[in-house]
Amino acid sequence: MKNTTLCYIEQDGRYLMLHRVKKHQDPNAGKWIGVGGKFEENESPDECLVREVKEETGLTLTRWRCRGIVTFVSDEWPTEYMHLFTADGFEGQLTDCNEGELAWVKKEDVPALKLWEGDRVFLELLTKEEPFFLLKLTYRGEQLAGAVLNGHPLAL
C-alpha cells in the first residue's frame, strides 16, 4: 500500500494539469493528471502536498483544501490511498517538470483530455463542489471496473 497526494491547482477557471510524457516506465504515461506524489517518511498529507507541488511546479501553495480520499485497487499495482486536494492560492513562477509538461487547461476542457476513467469521477465531484468524500476505484488493467462513493456503488 502507498499513500499519495494529488492536487488540482486552480486559477481563472483553469486547472494546472500535468501531461505525463517524460518519465520512463510511468503507469500514467500519456495521461493528464494533477500534480502530487508519494509521501516521504513522517510526512502528513499536507506536508507531502506542499513539497510535491513545489518540486513539480516551482509554486509554493498558500491556500488549499483536502477534498477527499480516493482508494485505488488494481490487479496490477499495490493499493493506493490518494489524498485529493484543490488549491487556489500560490506564489512563485512555474518551472519545468521532469515528469511531463505543465499546462493551464480550462476546467470545461479537461474531460476531453486523455485521463484515467476514475479521474473523471472525482473531477466531476470537484466540479459539483461535493463535500469531503471517500471514493474507491477498482481497476482491471487500465479499465475502470468499479466505483464506490461514500459506501454506495456508482453506475459506470
Side-chain angles (χ1 to χ4, degrees):
M1 290 184 290
K2 64 180 178 177
N3 280 292
T4 62
T5 58
L6 187 69
C7 185
Y8 289 91
I9 302 171
E10 304 174 64
Q11 182 181 53
D12 300 326
R14 300 173 296 163
Y15 281 137
L16 182 60
M17 300 293 292
L18 176 58
H19 190 200
R20 298 289 294 246
V21 293
K22 291 184 180 178
K23 244 176 128 177
H24 295 294
Q25 298 191 4
D26 182 354
N28 294 305
K31 293 191 173 57
W32 291 81
I33 63 172
V35 294
K38 297 177 197 143
F39 283 38
E40 290 184 352
E41 186 69 28
N42 300 319
E43 272 188 324
S44 66
D46 56 328
E47 289 168 334
C48 177
L49 166 76
V50 171
R51 177 186 53 77
E52 284 285 347
V53 167
K54 180 71 171 178
E55 287 176 4
E56 292 185 1
T57 70
L59 302 175
T60 301
L61 294 182
T62 58
R63 188 174 53 234
W64 63 86
R65 70 183 166 136
C66 188
R67 304 295 297 276
I69 298 174
V70 181
T71 302
F72 292 99
V73 176
S74 168
D75 60 354
E76 295 183 8
W77 300 290
T79 298
E80 176 181 342
Y81 300 101
M82 183 183 77
H83 302 257
L84 181 63
F85 291 85
T86 54
D88 62 3
F90 57 88
E91 300 171 343
Q93 299 294 319
L94 276 181
T95 58
D96 285 336
C97 179
N98 65 357
E99 296 183 10
E101 300 296 331
L102 293 166
W104 290 102
V105 179
K106 290 180 185 175
K107 289 181 183 181
E108 62 266 21
D109 294 340
V110 169
L113 299 175
K114 183 178 179 184
L115 306 169
W116 286 99
E117 285 305 308
D119 291 15
R120 296 178 192 288
V121 175
F122 61 72
L123 283 162
E124 180 69 20
L125 295 170
L126 296 179
T127 299
K128 292 180 177 178
E129 285 295 322
E130 183 78 21
F132 187 89
F133 56 86
L134 299 174
L135 179 64
K136 180 179 180 181
L137 300 171
T138 302
Y139 281 90
R140 286 190 184 83
E142 290 196 17
Q143 180 71 39
L144 183 63
V148 178
L149 176 62
N150 297 326
H152 303 284
L154 297 175
L156 297 180

